[in-house]
Amino acid sequence: MPDPHDQPTEHRIVNPATEEVIATVPATSPAGVDAAVRRAAEAQRGWAALAPADRARLLRRFATAVDAAVEELALLEVREAGHPVGSARWEAGNVRDLLDYAAGGVERLTGRQIPVAGGLDVTLLEPLGVVAVIAPWNFPMPIAAWGAAPALAAGNAVLLKPAETTPLTALRLAALAAEAGLPDGLFQVLPGAGPVTGAALVDHPGVAKVVFTGSSAVGRRIMAACAAGVKRLTLELGGKSPNIVFADADLERAAATAPGSFLDNAGQDCCARSRILVQRPVYDRFLELLAPAVRAVRVGDPADPDTVMGPLVSARQRERVRGYVPEDAPAAIRGAAPGGAGYWYPPTVLEAHQAGPRAAVEEIFGPVAVVTPFEDEADAVRLANATDYGLSGSLWTRDVGRALRVSRAVAAGNLSVNSHSSVRYATPFGGYKHSGLGRELGPEALAAFTETKNVFISSED
Ligand code: ADP
């Protein structure tokens, strides 16, 4: 049982661009978690009994409410997470789109009729009950919705535990759900410390499934805790994803797009392409092209629409990044960042010999990439797979056959060829190896929040 004394009674929410306290949010005690689970369980029974068309309609109303609040939600994200406002608007829109997409699935959540002798065999996809979504601080809104939207659509109640540093958008989303007419208690947000509020949720016998996105270390702990209750579990954990640039690639495009692939969200992105692998004949040329592209990234006030990269989310996160790469360490390319208040850290590219052993293999979760040369296709694949992670990756080549071979050979859940896209609400997302367990998003998203029940109906006289 988590100790309620391990957490303060409230969390102070800090604007990472200014270090000003912008809100205080009460933490949920284990007793509060227990009460929330009971309310959610009751709400879920009524929700699952609603006609599918009515559940879909309510979720569309929720989507409409989010749409009307995109600007407000985006500005909250700017203030609590330091995301550039353009990205924050996209994130709020992504929540709306996820809700719409999930609403469309409610009436399409079909089982199967399986040919058997002596009767009729059908499968029913039944909701699990109460689902806990434990969200991280890097993309507080979209990641909360990746779990919550399909879980609700499949007939479950959702208890969302936002990260300590970023609960404000989650709380606003819960208010919008209530305004849209979702039943009381069906979607609740429970702010609080991970080891207390989060652990109480994971351990609660009334929670049927846990969806966790965060660090691999905490993911392992949650997986072990879920074992006790044989709980269903989805894990979206870390990454150290490769960006493989072959000599035959469109080098200009590969270099122009590389900064976005590891600097988006100041590198606090589990899909960040933080290992740039470049075929040796074009290695020097690629670095020559990459340098001005990295230096051109505008780092500054996230509320300014021209800003491309904001601050890191917290002082703690900046200390972590500095622990891997001090800001005065030798670097192949270093961009600029503001001084003064705010958790700033400049875009940084290291050559392999400049990266310490930890920076080369561990997830830094900051705006740092390491560039390494490779010889041939086999060498590229070997380097790409030389990690415990397997979340994302990109490869740049004009050779279609090579694109297919390398896509098959790289052990990662989300690859893109001549692009860095990896997350779309309509396509599955998740990791190989230590990057996770299960998949979110895509056509199967709702099914991941159901139990399959097989029913055989005899046709014997
Ligand atoms: P970070 O260390 O970067 O904050 P975490 O993986 O610790 O990333 O956090 C991701 C989410 O997991 C947050 O919502 C956090 O509060 C929560 N969390 C952390 N520890 C636990 C735990 N022991 N049990 C449940 N949730 C936890």
Side-chain angles (χ1 to χ4, degrees), residues 234 263 321:
T234 301
L263 297 175
V321 176

Side-chain angles (χ1 to χ4, degrees), residues 389-411:
Y389 291 116
L391 190 54
S392 302
S394 305
L395 53 121
W396 293 79
T397 176
R398 289 188 169 104
D399 179 333
V400 177
R402 167 176 288 156
L404 273 173
R405 286 192 301 274
V406 176
S407 297
R408 289 210 171 104
V410 174

Side-chain angles (χ1 to χ4, degrees), residues 134-135 137 161-164 194-195 198-199 212-215 218 222 316 320:
I134 300 182
W137 46 259
K161 212 294 288 169
E164 291 84 334
F212 171 79
T213 305
S215 61
V218 174
I222 288 181
R316 174 171 161 255
R320 276 191 196 161

Side-chain angles (χ1 to χ4, degrees), residues 58 61-62 65 69 72 172-182:
L58 282 165
R61 273 195 208 147
F62 185 10
E72 179 201 352
R172 187 65 192 122
L173 284 175
L176 290 168
E179 283 168 29
L182 261 69

